[in-house]
Amino acid sequence: MFKAIVSADTLRTTLDSVSVLVDECKIHLNEDGLAIRAVDPANVGMVDLELSADAFESYEADGGLIGVNLSRLEDIAGMADAGQLVHLELDEETRKLHIRIDGLEYTLALIDPDSIRQEPDLPDLDLSAHVVVEGADIHRAVKAADMVSDHIALGVDETEETFYVDAEGDTDDVHLELGREDLIDLEVGPAHSLFSLDYLKDMNKAIPKDAEVRMELGEEFPVKMHFDIAEGQGTVTFMLAPRIQSD
Amino acid sequence: MFKAIVSADTLRTTLDSVSVLVDECKIHLNEDGLAIRAVDPANVGMVDLELSADAFESYEADGGLIGVNLSRLEDIAGMADAGQLVHLELDEETRKLHIRIDGLEYTLALIDPDSIRQEPDLPDLDLSAHVVVEGADIHRAVKAADMVSDHIALGVDETEETFYVDAEGDTDDVHLELGREDLIDLEVGPAHSLFSLDYLKDMNKAIPKDAEVRMELGEEFPVKMHFDIAEGQGTVTFMLAPRIQSD
Amino acid sequence: MFKAIVSADTLRTTLDSVSVLVDECKIHLNEDGLAIRAVDPANVGMVDLELSADAFESYEADGGLIGVNLSRLEDIAGMADAGQLVHLELDEETRKLHIRIDGLEYTLALIDPDSIRQEPDLPDLDLSAHVVVEGADIHRAVKAADMVSDHIALGVDETEETFYVDAEGDTDDVHLELGREDLIDLEVGPAHSLFSLDYLKDMNKAIPKDAEVRMELGEEFPVKMHFDIAEGQGTVTFMLAPRIQSD
């Protein structure tokens, strides 16, 4: 059983965080909130999302699991005005989700969860460098790197105590360096890894510009990016696998 | 003879109401205002528009008839700022319309009215259900139905005293129900008909969101939609033929 | 040696004035400011731009010459917010331009100036009609003419004391007439020439709507258009060759 009321804004932010990586996903309807984990078909980017029951106007669930088409659900959420409430109710028998926005009712056919790609385990990694940065700075780095290259290096300079972003093109280069005064927080440690810019661009779309993003970095290791959604009532973790350095 | 001055806003609203259905139309330059009637090439959607001489800053005409290319005329009207005045004057000899906006003069070649599709008669129908609804609600219904289907059913539930919109897709359904408290007015009567969504989407483009739209509905009958333009100095009626129910 | 700091706005306006005609250009890094002259591949449109050292926050140069890819440089300038400062520094050894915006550094490979199309001489012409007009009026004339034709005639009516724009299409015509009361200034003289609308549309993109544009016109002669950029610290001259009248 699942029955919940949530603001259209919160629902959209939640869906966007996952839809940048996958088209369909499983949603765990836990007693204390929603949980989604997904990995893209190439096993390069992962997302782990939790949205507490407190993020909802009202929330009742008992541990079910549903499979949804994310773009379909995003279109429906897009019908609501920013402040409007979205009513969700699962019909266990027909396996359909009833979505109500004001007088409008949308009946969404669910997807068999078994037909959806298996959920990944986000590995526990010992990443020694921690950087807390504004979403706007990630946005700026990704946009600049995209002018010259398909790859982007993220790293920490232990001596200079800076977080840096590097992109090397055929003729032009981009370099962004943020010191302690530009960062919200920094714990230095050996860190330098190369990533596919395409994935980082997709993840960046889901990161609010005013979010505090906590990044965990290592030497030729994945990067983890954590940030809050729904005014702190939800958390998102992106994990992106590194590319092997070609030079 | 025809000579008139009209605000760019009023001219644009008038043209838009017709151009959603046809590319060319005849305009009757009556003594008391303009009149346009047109039907789309498939004979499914019709429009009947009247714009009173009072909607103009100044208006002189003696019953002529001209044929115009609507998108051309819309482009010209689009050159004016919202509040600006558009001067129109017919040159009977050359059969050209002189359009002046500030110092800019556009000479528009007219189309021979005989070469334009014949004007339809909008039939008098005995449609027993009357619904007065905000344009914004039609907009919402059309947008939601478009997510799941190419057709849309409009009807009145006589017992529940509601106006409803239904769209059934292959897997998902949309249902919008508006009761007396959501409607401006409602006269119940037997009403349920299926329409092509494409036509309703086009007509919806010409319906202002804040307009009061009076709908007349029946059982497997056309729908008529009436609304005012030009601050009540003009009226538009759309009529849409029903699709035959396939189920 | 070249080292300068300039507002993103000023840099963008400067680049836009040239990029409407050419993809690459030579920039003279004179002691008292930048200078750019360029002609389009068909030898029809020319631009002559000067940006004084006073337009910069700081400026040091000793007469060098660099070749740049304009769209690349525009993309980089586009990374900055409107008020932000852009730091430019030439590395003579590597022939690269270092561009810094806040913590972001972009290293731009320059182009060998010898590989760029030769700079034109803007001929001294004895154009007897002078018109000073708002950029917004040029914008309006170009947009209206574009509805009916590929060509546009610019001229001065010496008797009526007006500046006029004419465009003749297959069926429709556009005519814009501006008298002394609509113009900032007018010196009458014999003037009527036909121009390619494509070029004028491109030049128009670089003319601010609130700019005072001084036009010099003659009989079947090129038109020269002068306007200021960077709050009067820079000047742009466009010159456009006439089309031969076909009628």
Side-chain angles (χ1 to χ4, degrees), chain A residues 140 143-144 147-148 171-177, chain C residues 72 75 79 96 101 103-109:
Chain A
R140 201 156 65 106
K143 198 174 157 192
M147 286 196 263
V148 300
T171 58
D172 300 352
D173 302 327
V174 159
H175 183 73
L176 175 66
E177 208 165 301
Chain C
R72 189 62 68 94
D75 283 349
M79 289 292 302
K96 301 214 170 186
I101 302 165
L104 180 74
E105 189 166 326
Y106 192 106
T107 308
L108 176 74

Side-chain angles (χ1 to χ4, degrees), chain B:
Chain B
M1 119 9 148
F2 170 63
K3 197 170 170 179
I5 304 174
V6 64
S7 80
D9 273 341
T10 297
L11 181 59
R12 280 196 284 254
T13 308
T14 302
L15 299 172
D16 288 351
S17 301
V18 184
S19 68
V20 293
L21 284 180
V22 293
D23 298 329
E24 305 175 341
C25 75
K26 301 180 200 184
I27 304 181
H28 293 268
L29 308 169
N30 299 328
E31 278 178 43
D32 58 350
L34 300 183
I36 302 173
R37 261 182 305 133
V39 58
D40 86 286
N43 271 313
V44 173
M46 297 180 189
V47 61
D48 185 7
L49 178 145
E50 287 187 16
L51 188 65
S52 156
D54 296 340
F56 293 75
E57 296 297 308
S58 83
Y59 183 92
E60 291 175 75
D62 55 7
L65 177 67
I66 57 173
V68 300
N69 177 316
L70 283 163
S71 67
R72 191 62 68 95
L73 202 47
E74 281 181 310
D75 283 350
I76 304 164
M79 287 293 300
D81 294 329
Q84 244 176 342
L85 293 179
V86 181
H87 296 245
L88 304 164
E89 185 166 1
L90 177 64
D91 184 328
E92 305 269 7
E93 226 150 282
T94 59
R95 296 305 293 170
K96 301 215 171 187
L97 188 65
H98 292 277
I99 304 161
R100 193 157 51 75
I101 302 166
D102 220 343
L104 180 74
E105 189 166 326
Y106 191 106
T107 308
L108 176 74
L110 297 172
I111 301 171
D112 178 359
D114 291 341
S115 74
I116 295 177
R117 204 179 158 68
Q118 209 185 323
E119 290 163 295
D121 285 317
L122 264 77
D124 245 341
L125 301 170
D126 190 19
L127 299 165
S128 53
H130 291 219
V131 181
V132 185
V133 66
E134 269 183 59
D137 280 321
I138 296 178
H139 183 77
R140 201 154 67 105
V142 164
K143 199 175 158 191
D146 196 33
M147 286 197 263
V148 300
S149 181
D150 298 328
H151 300 102
I152 186 169
L154 305 179
V156 168
D157 186 320
E158 294 180 84
T159 320
E160 298 282 337
E161 303 208 325
T162 56
F163 165 64
Y164 65 80
V165 175
D166 261 329
E168 293 185 17
D170 290 337
T171 58
D172 299 352
D173 302 327
V174 159
H175 183 74
L176 174 66
E177 208 166 299
L178 299 173
R180 283 198 182 280
E181 68 284 6
D182 306 309
L183 298 167
I184 299 162
D185 199 16
L186 173 68
E187 282 178 44
V188 299
H192 180 92
S193 308
L194 191 69
F195 301 97
S196 156
L197 194 53
D198 275 346
Y199 281 91
L200 207 56
K201 274 161 68 180
D202 285 340
M203 291 175 174
N204 177 51
K205 280 178 207 156
I207 300 175
K209 286 199 184 177
D210 60 354
E212 287 195 8
V213 183
R214 189 161 57 83
M215 303 177 84
E216 299 178 52
L217 294 155
E219 291 269 11
E220 309 268 348
F221 255 80
V223 59
K224 283 190 177 181
M225 294 184 286
H226 311 273
F227 60 96
D228 288 349
I229 57 171
E231 290 167 18
Q233 306 292 356
T235 58
V236 177
T237 296
F238 283 130
M239 193 179 95
L240 179 58
R243 301 263 318 187
I244 289 136
Q245 302 270 11
S246 56
D247 52 17

